[in-house]
């Protein structure tokens, strides 16, 4: 069965410092992987997606993630946090042949302090 | 371009009452999804429509939940009767529906926050 584990439920960083949100996936085959962000009272927004092309994926707002098959990881990073990055982040897996079914992790709440 | 529209944004009802949520997907999107998001958790798929056909409703509790997508555009999700445990956010999403390979981007609405008292 496909699943994702987000290793931290809460992450707190200072503005201007790097962000690392960790995600491990479980999949028998090469899945599609996504990161979504959810700001309060707003819809989920796609940050980036991996679909078996380049292993380093660049997304919006300076975020990027690296697919590491050997480690079954898809960690999200950003070199310098901004106050507006404070939100809930979800790592998502879509199994191959799953007809676009998304399986969400439990989420990581990112807090950014001045 | 308008995004996915949902209404109402908030709903408070007493248990055993019926409730309905409405979703208008992005124009031209053939696939529509309803998700349930409990507090502190990620969304879980309830039902997926391809045009007007429900092609995956395996996670929909059919004893009290129902959904329809007449004419393959707008969709309504209903709960009757509501229970305390139904308090959650109900999300609607849509996608073009051109790919079955997990690469079809889903666009989410803001959700309806349901509180059952």
């Amino acid at each position: 069965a496909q699943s994702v584990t987000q290793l931290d439920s809460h992450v707190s960083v200072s503005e201007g410092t790097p962000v690392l949100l960790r995600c491990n996936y479980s999949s028998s085959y090469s899945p599609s992987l996504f990161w979504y962000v959810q700001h309060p009272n707003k819809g989920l927004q796609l940050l980036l997606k991996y679909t078996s092309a380049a292993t380093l994926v660049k997304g919006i707002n300076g975020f990027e993630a690296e697919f590491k098959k050997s480690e079954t990881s898809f960690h999200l990073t950003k070199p310098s946090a901004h106050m507006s990055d404070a939100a809930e982040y979800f790592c998502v897996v879509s199994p191959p042949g799953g007809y676009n079914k998304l399986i969400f992790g439990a989420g990581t709440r990112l807090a950014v302090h001045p | 371009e308008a995004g996915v529209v949902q209404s109402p944004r908030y709903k408070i009802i007493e248990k055993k009452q019926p409730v309905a949520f409405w979703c208008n997907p992005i124009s031209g999107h053939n696939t529509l999804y309803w998700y349930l998001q409990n507090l502190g958790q990620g969304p879980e798929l309830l039902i997926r429509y391809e045009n007007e056909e429900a092609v995956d409703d395996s996670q929909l509790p059919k004893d009290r939940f129902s959904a329809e997508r007449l004419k393959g555009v707008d969709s309504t999700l209903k709960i009757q009767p509501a229970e305390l445990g139904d308090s959650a956010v109900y999300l609607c999403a849509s996608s073009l529906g051109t790919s079955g390979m997990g690469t079809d981007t889903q666009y989410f609405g803001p959700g309806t926050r349901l509180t059952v008292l």
Side-chain angles (χ1 to χ4, degrees):
Chain A
Q2 317 288 331
S3 66
V4 288
T5 301
Q6 293 186 242
L7 300 173
D8 307 290
S9 58
H10 292 83
V11 171
S12 182
V13 301
S14 297
E15 190 175 21
T17 65
V19 175
L20 170 63
L21 305 184
R22 299 182 295 165
C23 172
N24 284 82
Y25 69 91
S26 171
S27 176
S28 301
Y29 304 96
S30 294
S32 295
L33 292 160
F34 308 78
W35 276 97
Y36 275 84
V37 61
Q38 187 175 37
H39 287 92
N41 298 316
K42 292 189 177 181
L44 286 153
Q45 180 183 20
L46 179 67
L47 277 178
L48 50 82
K49 64 180 178 182
Y50 166 78
T51 56
S52 74
T55 57
L56 182 62
V57 183
K58 294 188 182 299
I60 61 172
N61 300 333
F63 285 95
E64 63 181 35
E66 186 172 8
F67 173 73
K68 292 186 176 180
K69 186 175 182 178
S70 61
E71 299 177 8
T72 61
S73 68
F74 190 58
H75 302 334
L76 181 70
T77 60
K78 183 174 181 177
S80 176
H82 191 271
M83 295 296 288
S84 61
D85 294 329
E88 187 88 19
Y89 291 79
F90 293 95
C91 183
V92 184
V93 63
S94 182
Y99 296 97
N100 232 30
K101 182 172 184 175
L102 299 183
I103 300 169
F104 284 76
T108 297
R109 181 163 296 278
L110 175 66
V112 182
H113 302 287
Chain B
E1 178 182 291
V4 176
V5 179
Q6 292 188 246
S7 68
R9 292 293 310 278
Y10 305 90
K11 188 73 176 179
I12 300 174
I13 61 171
E14 294 188 347
K15 63 181 181 182
K16 300 185 182 180
Q17 294 300 307
V19 65
F21 315 124
W22 175 79
C23 173
N24 179 240
I26 293 173
S27 178
H29 282 195
N30 297 320
T31 308
L32 184 145
Y33 315 76
W34 283 103
Y35 287 85
L36 165 69
Q37 185 176 18
N38 285 306
L39 186 65
Q41 297 181 24
E44 299 175 16
L45 181 69
L46 288 173
I47 188 169
R48 175 171 67 93
Y49 281 93
E50 295 288 347
N51 298 302
E52 66 274 9
E53 182 182 0
V55 295
D56 183 359
D57 63 356
S58 57
Q59 301 303 311
L60 189 73
K62 298 180 183 63
D63 57 336
R64 297 184 299 107
F65 286 66
S66 64
E68 61 183 10
R69 191 184 184 198
L70 300 176
K71 300 181 180 179
V73 182
D74 295 0
S75 178
T76 302
L77 178 68
K78 298 178 181 178
I79 308 175
Q80 182 171 13
E83 297 179 351
L84 295 177
D86 296 331
S87 295
V89 176
Y90 293 82
L91 297 168
C92 180
S94 70
S95 67
L96 280 171
T98 56
S99 167
M101 302 302 290
T103 60
D104 197 17
T105 299
Q106 294 184 30
Y107 297 85
F108 286 80
T112 296
R113 183 176 297 276
L114 173 66
T115 302
V116 182
L117 302 175

